[in-house]
Amino acid sequence: MRRTLLVLVVAVCTVLATTVTASAAPQVRHYQHYTALGDSYTAGPLIPLQRVDPVGCLRSTSNYPSLLAIALRVGSFTDVSCSGADTHDMLAPQDVVLGPNPPQLDALRPDTDLVTLGIGGNDYSVFGTIVGTCPGLRDSDPAGNPCERHFTVDGVDTIKARLPRTRANVTAVLGEIHDRAPDADVLVIGYPRIAPPSGTCPAVLPFADGDYAWLNSVEEELNAALAKAAADDGRASYVDTFTPSLGHDACAPPGRAWINGKDLKPWAANYHPFFTGMQGVAAVTYAHLRD
């Protein structure tokens, strides 16, 4: 009886402490219908467990929208993110294996009250062009910046020159979201950092030493374009994941890295987030809603 009484007392105290802590903390709005839109950095290719609706989207049940939905205790959750998506796939079907994936904006409803949008890196093949080109140029000048030079034509960085169009595309998508879900809180989710601000790890991230800084600058400008799109829209807000991911880049030790390097793993695609990255982005997004 004493043991039972002690267990009950501890349980009551725990409930009371939890209640007090919760009441003292800022409260997050209770959302009834959350819809997640985005590309592979949202979908989570190869992170267990993978969904099959359709298989070609490589959409995980443990991606950041799924973790955020659990943390927020939403009434209903719809995730239509898809690997390889760009802003065009918000309004048109995306052709994938055993697909297509329907236009992502079709998942929105008038009563949708939370939308996260993680898109833009695939517009004009920015990410794909970089990871498809830069590792192959490292050997030509390991200590230099051969990839940055490769994409600089007549003094113009041709990768960064694509980003103003990406900003316009995202702004247009945000307008469509508001038309379909006029009462929703809309968050534009930025991309976490891939490369560290200093140091290199060519065995993991096989860019030339000088191209690490350039890769960071491209990501910063891409994220700035997304932030500007949210500001231009006026009703969406931007969630910065680049700054909080400092120390969690692809060069970080296992368990701390949010982003996988060049090697394909059974639980993460190359140059894509690990589960730890999804946890990190979910936590940053939750804090944004709380604050």
Side-chain angles (χ1 to χ4, degrees):
M1 287 182 67
R2 288 196 192 97
R3 173 185 281 177
T4 301
L5 181 60
L6 179 61
V7 169
L8 288 173
V9 170
V10 170
V12 170
C13 289
T14 301
V15 170
L16 288 174
T18 303
T19 302
V20 170
T21 301
S23 63
Q27 297 299 301
V28 177
R29 173 183 171 186
H30 179 68
Y31 294 100
Q32 294 296 334
H33 182 216
Y34 166 30
T35 299
L37 316 170
D39 58 23
S40 55
Y41 267 61
T42 300
L46 303 188
I47 298 173
L49 295 167
Q50 290 283 292
R51 289 169 52 171
V52 295
D53 55 343
V55 171
C57 278
L58 299 174
R59 186 186 302 131
S60 174
T61 57
S62 298
N63 57 18
Y64 76 76
S66 300
L67 301 177
L68 183 64
I70 293 170
L72 292 172
R73 300 179 183 179
V74 298
S76 67
F77 169 54
T78 304
D79 182 4
V80 291
S81 60
C82 193
S83 297
D86 60 23
T87 52
H88 173 79
D89 300 306
M90 300 298 103
L91 287 164
Q94 183 181 349
D95 189 19
V96 296
V97 175
L98 299 182
N101 194 48
Q104 293 193 29
L105 293 182
D106 286 359
L108 298 175
R109 311 185 317 210
D111 63 343
T112 299
D113 52 4
L114 176 63
V115 178
T116 56
L117 175 67
I119 204 72
N122 291 327
D123 279 40
Y124 312 108
S125 301
V126 166
F127 272 171
T129 299
I130 290 172
V131 300
T133 305
C134 294
L137 296 176
R138 174 181 163 79
D139 288 344
S140 67
D141 186 7
N145 60 335
C147 203
E148 181 180 14
R149 296 198 313 271
H150 175 81
F151 288 113
T152 301
V153 179
D154 295 329
V156 175
D157 188 318
T158 59
I159 294 294
K160 294 178 181 178
R162 307 174 191 185
L163 300 179
R165 290 180 289 165
T166 299
R167 185 190 82 198
N169 293 349
V170 174
T171 301
V173 169
L174 291 172
E176 291 283 346
I177 291 172
H178 297 310
D179 287 345
R180 299 177 186 226
D183 297 324
D185 288 342
V186 181
L187 309 182
V188 179
I189 311 297
Y191 291 91
R193 66 172 64 240
I194 299 172
S198 62
T200 64
C201 59
V204 176
L205 193 61
F207 286 52
D209 294 356
D211 282 326
Y212 277 62
W214 176 73
L215 175 58
N216 268 322
S217 71
V218 172
E219 269 208 274
E220 286 175 323
E221 291 205 19
L222 170 60
N223 283 322
L226 300 179
K228 186 65 166 59
D232 290 344
D233 171 76
R235 290 188 287 168
S237 60
Y238 171 70
V239 179
D240 172 24
T241 67
F242 188 85
T243 302
S245 59
L246 180 65
H248 299 286
D249 52 79
C251 292
R256 284 188 56 82
W258 287 9
I259 304 296
N260 186 22
K262 67 178 178 63
D263 294 327
L264 188 69
K265 293 181 171 66
W267 58 89
N270 45 0
Y271 304 111
H272 279 81
F274 290 117
F275 175 64
T276 51
M278 292 300 180
Q279 288 178 303
V281 174
V284 170
T285 306
Y286 185 89
H288 178 91
L289 288 169
R290 182 196 63 211
D291 297 337

